[in-house]
Amino acid sequence: MLANYHTHTFRCQHAGGEDREYVECAIKHGMKVLGMSDHCPWVYGDGYVSGIRMTPDQVDDYFYSFERLRREYADDITIYIGFEAEYVPELMEEQNKLLADYPVDYMILGQHFIGKESDGVYTGASDSSEERLRRYVDLIIAGVEEKGYSYVAHPDLINFSGAEEIYKVHMGRLCLFLKERGIPVEINMLGLIDGRNYPSERFLRIAGDIGNTAIIGCDAHSPESLIDTMHMDMCREYAKRCGLELVDYLPGLGVK
Ligand SMILES: [Zn+2]
Ligand SMILES: [Zn+2]
C-alpha cells in the first residue's frame, strides 16, 4: 500500500504502540502517505465519558506528537493529521468548536453508532429494521454533505439482517452518492482480520455493480498492522472479486 488513511493511536484506549512506531512501520512497508485518524473526542456536556476515544484534552498532545514526527520524517513520508468520527447532528457544534483551533487535515466518517454513543446502539449489531438502515444511510449522506468527510470508514458496518432487496435499495443509494462525490468505499482490513460483519461481500458487490472505486483502510490499532501485507493482499483480492477498482490516494491528500 502506498497510503493508509485509517490509523489509530493509544489515545483511543483500545490501540497499542507508540506514535513513532506507526510512522516507522508505514515507512518500512514503503508507504508514501500516512493519515492519522484516531477516534475523535466528543464534548458530551452531560458528564458521559467515552471508553473508546481520546478525551478533548488529549487533542493537543495528538497534534503536537504527529507534527513533530511529520517534521522529523518529512523526507520519507507525508503525514496527515485527522480524525475518524461519527456524524451526530446534535453534537456537531461543540465538536466543531473544539477542533476549530487545530490544523485538521481531513476527517473520515465511521458511523459506529446511529445516535450518540451514550445511547448505546452499536451499528454493527445485527438488526432487521429498515428504519435503522435508512437512518444510517441518511446520516452518512448528511454528514458528508455538511462536513465534507474524505471517506467513509467501513461503510458496510451496518449489520442488516432483513430482506436482501431492502439492503440493496439503501446501500445502493449510499454507493451512488459516494460515486457522484468521487469518494471511494473502504475495504476495512481490521474487519477482515477479526472476522467481523465487514468487509461485506454483498455490499462490495453492490458497489462494484454501481462502479464505485475502493480504497483499503488498515484501520490500524497496532503499528504492525501497517506492515501486514498478507491481509492487504486479501483486501486486494476482495476488490478484484467484487469488480472494484482500487485507488491509492485520496483527493487532495497525496504525497507532498
Ligand atoms: Zn477503534
Ligand atoms: Zn477506525
Side-chain angles (χ1 to χ4, degrees):
M1 285 171 66
L2 294 172
N4 174 58
Y5 298 93
H6 195 164
T7 321
H8 295 280
T9 78
F10 67 90
R11 294 171 190 77
C12 71
Q13 310 169 57
H14 60 278
E18 296 298 319
D19 294 344
R20 178 180 300 276
E21 294 177 287
Y22 283 91
V23 177
E24 289 180 350
C25 279
I27 293 168
K28 188 174 165 194
H29 178 71
M31 286 185 194
K32 300 292 171 216
V33 170
L34 177 64
M36 300 310 303
S37 56
D38 208 1
H39 293 287
C40 193
W42 289 106
V43 182
Y44 289 106
D46 60 0
Y48 178 77
V49 179
S50 172
I52 56 163
R53 54 189 91 235
M54 71 174 77
T55 57
D57 61 11
Q58 284 179 300
V59 177
D60 262 2
D61 173 63
Y62 179 55
F63 275 92
Y64 179 76
S65 175
F66 283 99
E67 283 183 343
R68 207 179 40 189
L69 289 165
R70 169 153 65 194
R71 286 191 296 272
E72 187 178 335
Y73 290 96
D75 292 341
D76 305 304
I77 196 162
T78 303
I79 295 176
Y80 291 107
I81 310 171
F83 291 100
E84 174 182 20
E86 296 79 7
Y87 175 65
V88 186
E90 63 266 38
L91 295 179
M92 294 313 289
E93 199 183 326
E94 282 304 315
Q95 189 181 70
N96 290 340
K97 263 192 229 165
L98 171 70
L99 301 181
D101 293 335
Y102 295 96
V104 179
D105 291 318
Y106 74 110
M107 301 280 292
I108 64 176
L109 177 55
Q111 199 68 28
H112 303 99
F113 300 91
I114 306 285
K116 283 195 284 187
E117 180 193 326
S118 49
D119 299 337
V121 193
Y122 176 56
T123 308
S126 176
D127 196 300
S128 63
S129 161
E130 179 176 8
E131 198 34 53
R132 189 167 173 269
L133 175 64
R134 179 186 290 117
R135 175 100 181 113
Y136 173 77
V137 171
D138 287 349
L139 273 173
I140 292 178
I141 291 175
V144 171
E145 278 178 340
E146 185 190 309
K147 211 165 152 79
Y149 297 86
S150 294
Y151 83 74
V152 183
H154 37 59
D156 40 5
L157 172 62
I158 185 97
N159 195 350
F160 181 69
S161 57
E164 225 28 60
E165 310 81 73
I166 294 174
Y167 183 77
K168 259 190 188 158
V169 167
H170 293 289
M171 295 309 260
R173 199 155 66 79
L174 176 59
C175 287
L176 263 178
F177 171 78
L178 295 174
K179 187 183 166 189
E180 280 163 11
R181 294 269 168 151
I183 297 175
V185 297
E186 184 191 65
I187 301 178
N188 187 277
M189 194 172 96
L190 177 63
L192 185 88
I193 294 169
D194 269 6
R196 298 183 184 175
N197 66 297
Y198 58 89
S200 147
E201 189 147 342
R202 67 172 176 164
F203 170 74
L204 294 174
R205 284 193 186 279
I206 294 170
D209 288 345
I210 287 174
N212 287 81
T213 55
I215 188 162
I216 299 170
C218 291
D219 201 349
H221 285 75
S222 75
E224 294 72 31
S225 170
L226 301 172
I227 47 171
D228 184 352
T229 48
M230 183 182 90
H231 287 104
M232 290 172 191
D233 287 346
M234 283 169 74
C235 288
R236 230 171 265 287
E237 278 303 309
Y238 235 106
K240 204 170 165 189
R241 235 179 12 250
C242 299
L244 288 159
E245 183 202 326
L246 282 170
V247 298
D248 290 311
Y249 300 105
L250 291 173
L253 297 170
V255 182
K256 266 192 198 160

